[in-house]
Amino acid sequence: MNRIENLLAAMTVEEKIGQLNMVAAGYAVTGPVLASGTAEGIRAGRIGSLLNLWGAQEIHAMQKIAVEKTRLSIPLLAGFDVLHGHKTIFPIPLAEAACFEPRLWEASARAAAIEAAADGISMTFAPMLDIARDPRWGRIAEGAGEDPWVVTQFAKAKVRGFQGGGLPEGLASAGAVAATAKHFCAYGAALAGRDYASADVSERLLHEVYLPPFAAAVAAGCAAIMPAFNDIAGIPMTAHIPLLRDWLRRKAGFDGVIVSDYNAVAELIRHGIAGDLVEAAAAALRAGVDIDMMSGAYSQGLAPAIARGLVSIEAINAAVRRVLKLKERLGLFDDPYRRGSAGASAPNVSAARRDLAREAGRRSIVLLTNDHVLPLSPELRRIALIGPLADARADMLGPWAMAGNASDPVTIREGLAAALPDVEIVFATGVTIAGEDTSGIAAAREICRDADLVLLCLGEAASMSGEAASRANPGLPGAQNALAEAIFELEKPVVVLISSGRPLMISTIAAKAQALVATWFLGVEAGNAIADVLTGTFNPTGRLPVTWPRDVGQVPIFFAERPSGRPADPDNHYTSKYLDMPIEPLFPFGHGLSYSRFGLSKPRINKKDFKRGDELTIEVDVINEGAAAGEETVFLFARDIVASVTRPLLELKGVGKIALAPGEGGTICFRLAAEALTFPGSDLQPVFEPGEFLLSAGPSADPHGLLTVKVRALPG
Ligand code: BGC
């Protein structure tokens, strides 16, 4: 027998249940329940894994109890949320998505894993793969935006980065951590954008939109999956047999660990599908949830559930086997202290990781509008830096930075001062982020009078996005609009920088600013990255990974809509539009300006007719018509014109990038397998249907900028 079967044979039922119990060690609070007596619980064999503890010394102290003071010496898993960096905080995932760079996504996950592992952590609750199309939902900040193709690439890159793909020892390396793809699934479809609310999405939407990123994570070898808090059409994900057992385990072939979300097993009672902890525990275990995070339902309810005949010991054995297997894959049995041992790299912020954070930061920034004021002119002598986000150090970290240090980030003010030593920078906040006090506006306005240009730094506090941070009115909070109005009245050139975890409703500001820049939350190098872009040291390349609405009434909004039988037509009343607002967003998916201008050719294709098994190559010539070296991003979309079910108006199939000197031309080549044009048919099974397709290439999902060719799929 192997190690795991030997252990299973030796374990009591209580010890088995202990392996399925994860508790918070109390350092960080990410949920409503707090555990106490952790050390005692480990010693008694009632705890198999921890969360919210970091620091090699602290984790090793707990590990020592598990290894030396328990009967079977089974090491602990130590889980932690490492969403956008551990000590070196990187841009929030929504920002990083704007880079459209799998190489960078992987690199920042690798760097984060090295630091987290050096801090004793063996498992992270990331990547977050929730497609989000509603900026009211605060957790839109934690994922890679609205599109399944993008989130699928993000999933692969992040899993590889966290788990040490490419390292000789893989997941067992001292610098690798087990990834947890979350939240499975459709959590981003929460009713009215309210966190933890119900989601009711069709089977089709699941198969076309919400499941593919998880399938990609599984195929990339992701060690764990976390079910979401929500129910889908009445079945809470923590007890969802069709999705967890039938789809994830059987169809997608996932044999790793399913770890519940925080307290989610016990919350099955509140969902109203379990009468007590015993029924809750049984429902989750039957669906295939291996680890109960923090609810105590498994530790209190599984033994009685066996007695009541609600679960079998075989089901418990299967869950324990998967947990032990993960511990084995992580190398914990061979050396429980390998993560965080002397000799492993230090967990602290290093110069190289800061450089990576700066690179990720500047590539995440999206230049939304620019009326010839950026890059900042070298002639400027006096800049007024105004607004509550201009010197907001801790906020630059963003919403998930538990091990991060609030004093680490470079603020916008500091970044600019370092980049422009010869320019006088006068500064005032004017208002606080969310306060209603307008008494500071006059002074802020006053210091703008003699300035050549105003940089207005507006936005949200970091705590206004992320978990439990839904906003019914996701605009500028507090008195920031009043501040902006007062500044615009001066009729100076105003560049507005928006720090936020979501697209904010800022149509009026966008119309009045000479330039508008989305700077999200960029982490420790925020100020330097922003200064790089403002000064033109770095020519912006970021593109929106989400559609940016004009107003909250347009939500949910995304580019991959299905066609209406009555598409919007201003001359026809009975068409799909609003009476009081255009249907177009403020900025489309993929939008983002550069200091260069690029010309795109119509796509060239290697064949007009193709069959299953063929590969299409689509070439787009790009020319840099501007005066600065720059990088262009081209999106490839497909539209199936006539199919057995309606297909989205645009489906993203590829993203290409090219760096070009002024006047230089080059070619982006997309390879598109015919199979990429399959879709779930009327029975939800994948079909490849003959007929015509439009392939469109362009700088964003704005239909006006797309260049289109027609191709034809032949039968057979
Ligand atoms: C969140 C998860 C997170 C967990 C552990 C929960 O409240 O929904 O995303 O991984 O806490 O911190």
Side-chain angles (χ1 to χ4, degrees), residues 29-32 51-52 80-81 83 125-126 128 139 142 182-183 187 195-196 226 229 260-262 293 400 402 467:
V29 181
T30 58
L51 83 149
N52 283 352
F80 199 68
D81 292 278
L83 268 291
F125 308 123
M128 194 272 212
R139 304 202 81 169
E142 297 174 45
K182 70 185 189 184
H183 307 85
Y187 185 30
D195 209 359
Y196 315 123
M226 181 188 290
F229 282 124
S260 85
D261 205 343
Y262 202 109
M293 181 195 285
W400 275 105
M402 283 189 296
E467 187 174 353

Side-chain angles (χ1 to χ4, degrees), residues 392 407 489 548:
S407 62
E489 277 170 13
W548 195 300

Side-chain angles (χ1 to χ4, degrees), residues 126-141:
M128 194 272 212
L129 303 180
D130 295 313
I131 307 261
R133 297 170 165 187
D134 184 341
R136 290 174 298 183
W137 193 54
R139 304 202 81 169
I140 193 172

Side-chain angles (χ1 to χ4, degrees), residues 42-43 86 199 201 361 440 473 548 551 568-569 708:
I42 297 171
R43 194 170 293 118
H86 182 63
V201 297
N473 283 312
W548 195 300
D551 212 337
D569 174 356
T708 299

Side-chain angles (χ1 to χ4, degrees), residues 51 86 169 188-189 204 224 301 347 351 358 374 388 404 431 467 511 516 530 547 594 605 609-610 618 693-694 708:
L51 83 149
H86 182 63
E169 287 183 282
R204 171 161 304 282
R358 184 165 180 165
L374 291 178
V431 297
E467 187 174 353
L516 180 66
I530 291 168
T547 304
S594 150
I605 35 175
D609 295 341
F610 64 97
I618 301 113
F693 290 80
L694 298 178
T708 299

Side-chain angles (χ1 to χ4, degrees), residues 328-354:
E328 187 170 61
R329 278 183 76 197
L330 283 161
L332 289 169
F333 284 108
D334 300 330
D335 178 4
Y337 307 105
R338 85 170 35 161
R339 290 175 184 77
S341 289
S345 62
N348 46 324
V349 179
S350 75
R353 287 193 283 271
R354 264 199 179 267

